[in-house]
Amino acid sequence: MNKTRALVGLCVTGVLFVTACGSDKKSSSTAAATATTAAGATTVAGASTTAAGSTAGTTGGSAAGTTGGSAAPASTAAPTKADPSKSPITVGYHNLEGGAISLPEVREGFESGLNYINEELGGINGHPLKADYCKTDVTPESSVNCANTFVQNNDVMAVQGVDPLADAALPILKQAGIVEFGFFAFSPAMNKAVGDAYFSLFSNEEGYAADLITQKSLGAKSEAVVQADLPSAHAAYDDVITPAAKKIGMTIYPFYYPTQADWTTLAATILASNPDSISFTAAEDSVCLAGVPALRAAGYTGVIHASSCSQIITDLDPKVLNNVISHNEFYYPTFTSIPAKAQSDIDIYTKYITRDHPDYKSLVYTELGFHVAVQAADMLRQVPGDVYTAASVKAAMGTTKGTEFFRTNGYDCSKPTWPGTTACGSGLIFTKITPDRKKEVLPNQPVDVSEYKPAG
Amino acid sequence: MTQYLLFFVLGLSVGAVYAALTMGIVVTYQGTGVINFAAAAMATVPLYVFSDLQAGKLTLPLPWLTSFDVGKLPTWSMVVIALIVAGLLGALIQVAVSRPLRTAPVLAKVVAAVGIMLTLQAAVALKYGTEARPRTTMLPTGSVSLGSAKIPVDRLWLTGLVIVLGAALAIWFRKSRTGLAIQAAAENERAASFARLSPQTLGMVTWVLSSVFVGLVMIIAGPASGVITPGNLTLLVIPALAAALIARLSSLWVALVGALLLGALQAELQFMSGTKSWWPDWAKQGLNDAIPFIVIVITLYLLGRSIPMRGDDTRSSLPPVILPKNRPQVIAVLCVAGVIILAVTSGSYRFGVISSLAAALIALSLVVLTGMVGQISLAQAAFAGVAGLVLSKIGTGVPFPFSLIIAAIFAALAGVIVGLPALRIRGAQLAVVTLAAALTLEKFIFANPKILSATANLIPDPKLFGINLSIRKGRDIARFPFGIMVLVVVVIAFILIGNMMRAGSGRKMLAVRSNERAASSIGINVAGIKLSAFALASFLAGLGGALIGYSRGQFSADSFGVFVGLSFLAIAYLGGITSASGALVAGAASALGIIFVIFDRNLHLGSYYALFSGFSLILTVVLNPVGIAGKTRADFDKQRAGRAAKRKAKQPAPLSLGEEFGDEVIPAAPAVRNIGEIALRTAGITVQYGGLRAVNEVTIEVREGEIVGLIGPNGAGKTSFIDAITGFTPCSGEVYLGEERMSGVAAHQRARKGLVRTWQSVELFEDLSAAANVRVSDDVGKDGWKILRDMFRPNPPASKAVHDAIALMSLGDVADRRPSELPLGRQKALGVARSLALKPKVLLLDEPAAGLDTAESVAFGDHLKQIAATGVGCLLIDHDMHLVLGVCDRIYVIEFGTQIASGRPEEVRRDPGVVAAYLGSSQSDDETATTQTPAASTS
């Protein structure tokens, strides 16, 4: 069933700050990966900067001060296979697939990640890691169905690929004592379900703050914040953007686009306020594909923050992409420079994804799926006592720490990286688009938002 | 000012996109009766074909057919290929869906359109992927300056092209033989045969034409119609439907202009709400989606009529209603079965059963509103959402079950508000208006951050007398006590609604569904019944929504959106929207219902599930347009009737007397009629239809017990006069019933006060038996109270007036028959009996003898004398001069709306003016004049 919000896609809840919207096409990404590897990885300046509450990440190393596992590849250690004689550990995996918005590549990346875990990382302390796959279709009903399935199948953890309406599953999972894990909290309740859900990356709130900091650093004194016309977006403007903008010293003009927007009209509306910069803070590819050209056609030449959209890189004329920046949660092969640790991770990922799913279509989706699998395994390995139940996993989740796959920062789930959220990680990486359709990391990345965090 | 002009021009270009869709929808509706909810989804297909062609590939929307490399083609050839695909798609839909459903109810066509929309969306996603594709314009680019603003040239081109193309289509529609035939067929299919075009041909023309027209504009529109995704365009159908409403689904010119202006209005609103500091914050959320609809609804409401005029087609054409019998043993068996099913299932399966039960209440709400009253509502899911939202707001403040009831009451209030337009808007237009209401609820209420929390809208677990009735506890995701609680609520609701359906309130609802004018004429407050039905149905939907809320533990607005409402209507229709058992079937087929769970757990359809669902919807409605439960029940009844007939054949056949009315004896006629005081007096009644004065200053009197004739040639204004004095058409002049002034009194109130009419065209309630047609008179008034009473005490014995009316008109032997099963004479008698049961002071009879043979006419005359002998004043309109001259005490004659004579029959018969105008010489001279039955009067 088509849903009204289906076309808002992954940003249906207005909190999308991550690459789930993006979809670098394989053809270009594969080539880019090859080129990057050939050029050799370099450390990104400022990569060690992290948000407060998170351990300091270093290139290629595990999180400082952590005692838990490490998601980083043991590049020097011999691969260890999971012990098939040990009981498998099964997690429930829910992801958008089969509906009007379908992201099978996320699942494919996750499957490759599981293979990597079981073939090289010894599974979960010897136990093979398996998944119950459940498809969602941007309806609460499908998310509820998945949660019911996971409870019924005694899965020890619910792992989210991309499921923007997963909030509907939360009461079921919570009641059954099953913890939710993913790379980003797409839905508002998941973002706030402290103790019941954990996400490896930064929070939605951090995304807003990082956007303002970056735009300010690029010279803007005012910004048009363009968001989907959804309650969560209005709430974010009131609760996060306005206070942060006040601290940073920027003037904000909020704009909300309806489900079916004419971007030429909207661009004219936005430009009527004459902003220095424009940010699509949380938009999916379809918005960026329509919005960026419309703003350029209307004569705007300033900086546009095109959320984490990446399809614009391959699909739009490079001329309109001048002065377009985007944020990234991972290092991708399409970057002009990549830290050694991240490059090592990308090499492993490339090996598995090209072996398991040679016809994969999206680099970004498969990479994030892979990340989720590796991070989930890293957390499960930190469950004490070799007892893997929903209860033991949930109890242990709040103490897990480690490094992050495809990233240089570490994660630390003992304390939210932004108060009151379920984020275990921190640090957005802003890039600009080069004329040859690559991403160049801006200075001082990942963005440090610690100065603008609320106390807590 | 420049800015306003800029946004006006930009808005016109968006309106141009709406206009194409709107005109496509109107043409399709005119040609096939289908409100094409899939119009925008259909346009997605040629867009994808065109997009692939731009990349050098030809990808046809056929499963398992790979793409062809075609290289770089000229733009015009790519457009042509895409439009050929659009045309073929339209033709396929005509052949596979529209043609088989040509004579199906409107609702079946709505469901089919929803199925097409779902199927296309799923098929496109599978074939072309879900990745968004950017658009580029093929029109001239650049900009022109308008003061400080720059207007994109391609938008000006787009607007201009659509105006030209739209005007061409409108002219073709109005002037061409095919266009005229399509319009004629919309009123009467046989009329289309004048142009020697079959309905199938017209259907094919309209589907292909609208598909190609919309596809062409969408391709030309480029970025103005947004990026391409499988679902992006689908949403454009909503503003297009709004514009189609402005055009009343008939005028292409209005559709074109209305859609353009709608786009302009939205653009101006967007500009002002986004940039003007004086624009209030609370009015920013969902503005663009909702405000145009609100304006349209208000406009339609003001332009609409509380009672349809003569000639308005308001027949529901829904399947026959299957009234529940509520046999205690059957209910007991079903209850025990429900408990056993809940007991033997667990986990997801029990959750599926519970979800089915809750959803069955929402489907039952559609049975009441659509099945019983004929009001098509797409907002039932939204009403359910209102209850869920209220429940989350109540929190623990109100204990269960009061919280449940309060939530449902709020839903009922929302239903009454949404139902207000239904008092003046009908049929397909009402369906779209309720869609607008659902959208408004979704955007303004469910998405309003001032009302809804962005993070948590938790619903506390229900508890009763300390017993925890929560849906889940620990890893038990569907607890038995919760299932029992839901079962109890559902059983109570079904029993009470079943009682109501088979009682007087149900009869009134079916009377309204059958014929609003006739219902009004026997005192039924049509508006009251509709509002009562909206309230009751919304209450039921609210119960369902609240139970769904309890089962989720929180309110999820996305579970109650516009398209969910469409989905509910579709499954309710397929389950059987005219039977309570159909609601159970629909519940089982709902999202998370038991059928879904069984499929999900056992049939791994994967990515093909959405396609399978949409296709199943189409297939089911095509193969079984009256719904699953309705067909099953009808087959069962047919078999049972067959068995009963065989049994009876072995025994002496008793006279069919009906269950309650068969033993009625025709009362003997009183020997003497006493003419009493003036019962009806009119003064200067004038009826004006535009420039035509149909009735001109007509003044009459009818006394108690008197039979007065009103005669005149066809077109004289006789029926218009009756319409006027009974409140069915506006008039000037005064009407007094006894001493009471009737002018300004509503039609149904006049009937209740004793000014009762019959109808020239019979106008019986086809959904009711003959006895029920008469018995409706017992049920008028106190609608709200009687609905409650009927739930607990259905069908008290019929009144003496009903018995007398049936007996007087000798209808006892056909009491259980449907009106359509009776010969015309008995239908006329039934119409009179129905009016008599109201105990009228004055009875206005509009050609009661038309179509009767001589013997029947004589018998009717006797009946009429008996009626008058009871003190009822009778005004008789008829062309049967033998009857009129034989029974009337006095006669009025009108011609061209003006009274030309009056007096006793013999005086009138000899009046030269009357002879010249109407009777002719033979009638005046021949005392033995026999029945004259002029052609059916249209006066």
Side-chain angles (χ1 to χ4, degrees), chain A residues 2 7 23 152 167 188 264 311, chain B residues 121 131-132 155 231 348 454 554:
Chain A
N2 174 38
L7 305 167
S23 141
Q152 205 163 0
D167 282 357
T264 300
Q311 205 182 323
Chain B
Q121 191 166 277
E131 192 176 69
R155 294 305 181 101
S348 295
Q554 65 182 11

Side-chain angles (χ1 to χ4, degrees), chain B residues 75 119 134 172 200 223 272 287 464 802:
Chain B
T75 302
T119 304
W172 173 86
Q200 288 81 6
M272 288 188 285
L287 182 78
L464 187 62
V802 170

Side-chain angles (χ1 to χ4, degrees), chain B residues 434-483:
Chain B
T434 57
L435 183 75
L439 186 75
T440 306
L441 280 171
E442 181 183 343
K443 298 294 182 185
F444 264 149
I445 307 297
F446 299 160
N448 194 325
K450 308 285 185 216
I451 297 172
L452 197 70
S453 163
T455 53
N457 297 282
L458 300 178
I459 294 174
D461 292 333
K463 286 180 184 170
L464 187 62
F465 306 124
I467 302 169
N468 181 9
L469 297 174
S470 64
I471 175 74
R472 62 185 71 88
K473 189 175 183 183
R475 301 187 77 85
D476 186 353
I477 57 175
R479 294 176 65 234
F480 184 69
F482 183 83

Side-chain angles (χ1 to χ4, degrees), chain A residues 1-8 12-13 23-25 97-104 134-135 137-142 144-156 165-178 187-192 229-235 238 253-270 272-273 285-287 289-291 293 297-299 311 315-316 361-362 365 390-391, chain B residues 3 6-7 10-11 13-14 18 114 117-118 121-122 125-126 130-135 143 150 152 155 223-227 229-236 238 266-268 270-272 274-275 281 284-289 346-349 351 439 442-443 446-450 452-456 458 461 472-477 548 551-554 556-564 566-567 591-592 596-597 600-601 605-610:
Chain A
M1 183 72 208
N2 174 38
K3 299 296 173 287
T4 307
R5 314 283 169 97
L7 305 167
V8 185
V12 72
T13 54
S23 141
D24 279 343
K25 287 170 183 166
E97 200 166 334
I101 304 290
S102 187
L103 305 174
C134 183
K135 295 170 180 173
D137 60 2
V138 208
T139 65
E141 285 71 26
S142 60
V144 165
N145 180 53
C146 286
N148 282 342
T149 305
F150 300 158
V151 174
Q152 205 163 0
N153 291 352
N154 287 319
D155 296 335
V156 299
L165 294 188
D167 282 357
L170 194 56
I172 300 166
L173 297 172
K174 197 172 169 180
Q175 183 71 247
I178 297 177
S187 44
M190 283 290 183
N191 189 44
K192 298 288 186 184
D229 192 6
L230 297 169
S232 52
H234 287 265
D238 292 337
Y253 306 108
F255 292 94
Y256 301 95
Y257 53 86
T259 313
Q260 176 69 40
D262 170 44
W263 281 96
T264 300
T265 308
L266 200 60
T269 311
I270 293 165
S273 64
D285 268 317
S286 61
V287 169
L289 286 170
Q311 205 182 323
D315 289 7
L316 293 185
K361 291 177 182 170
S362 167
Y365 293 147
Chain B
Q3 290 286 340
L6 167 68
F7 283 94
L10 289 175
S13 66
V14 178
Y18 296 166
V114 173
M117 184 179 77
L118 298 178
Q121 191 166 277
L126 287 169
T130 60
E131 192 176 69
R133 299 188 186 188
R135 307 287 305 280
S143 61
K150 287 183 177 178
R155 294 305 181 101
S225 57
V227 297
T229 71
N232 201 24
L233 251 61
T234 305
L235 298 172
L236 283 172
I238 293 177
Q266 282 184 315
E268 295 288 359
Q270 183 171 299
F271 166 60
M272 288 188 285
T275 60
D281 281 345
K284 288 182 176 176
Q285 181 86 30
L287 182 78
N288 272 20
D289 295 307
S346 63
S348 295
Y349 285 97
F351 193 90
L439 186 75
E442 181 183 343
K443 298 294 182 185
F446 299 160
N448 194 325
K450 308 285 185 216
L452 197 70
S453 163
T455 53
L458 300 178
D461 292 333
R472 62 185 71 88
K473 189 175 183 183
R475 301 187 77 85
D476 186 353
I477 57 175
I548 288 172
S551 74
R552 305 281 175 81
Q554 65 182 11
S556 300
D558 293 273
S559 293
F560 305 103
V562 167
F563 287 99
V564 180
L566 269 174
S567 171
L592 283 179
F596 167 83
V597 174
D600 184 65
R601 297 295 184 274
L605 294 169
S607 301
Y608 289 88
Y609 183 81

